[in-house]
Amino acid sequence: MPLAWSAAFGARTAPRLALNTLTAQVQAVRDGLGVAVLPHFLAREAGLRLLAARLPDGAPMERPILLATHAELAASRRVRAVAAAIADHVLAKRHDLEGA
């Protein structure tokens, strides 16, 4: 999805530098090596400037957060309790995770 977002903003070629961790991407942007599609909460924390909040067609740049477990563990009370705690925490931090 981020590559499609880059193309929507006019990127015509593959990136010259590709990094596979968000930490490395944040550091590369902080070091002035280019721009990146980053989660708002990480970019804000790093003091980076938002270039665009929406795609050129007006659509939001958002990705779902998925929580998955093995089918054999889905009925486990312990696994369900941890999943519920994670979901509650993410929902409580929703404002921080969004682009607001």
Side-chain angles (χ1 to χ4, degrees):
M1 202 174 291
L3 287 178
W5 293 340
S6 295
F9 284 105
R12 303 277 183 249
T13 61
R16 292 184 187 184
L17 174 65
L19 303 165
N20 62 359
T21 68
L22 289 172
T23 303
Q25 291 173 24
V26 167
Q27 191 60 48
V29 173
R30 288 173 87 186
D31 290 345
L33 296 176
V35 298
V37 176
L38 296 167
H40 288 279
F41 72 97
L42 288 178
R44 277 194 304 267
E45 184 179 287
L48 300 175
R49 184 172 55 93
L50 176 66
L51 298 178
R54 299 182 91 62
L55 292 168
D57 67 2
M61 289 188 286
E62 57 188 22
R63 295 178 74 173
I65 296 175
L66 305 175
L67 179 60
T69 187
H70 194 283
E72 293 176 7
L73 297 175
S76 163
R77 281 189 287 171
R78 290 178 184 163
V79 171
R80 286 196 325 258
V82 170
I86 291 170
D88 289 346
H89 183 72
V90 169
L91 289 173
K93 295 288 188 178
R94 185 176 195 157
H95 180 75
D96 295 335
L97 297 172
E98 292 175 337

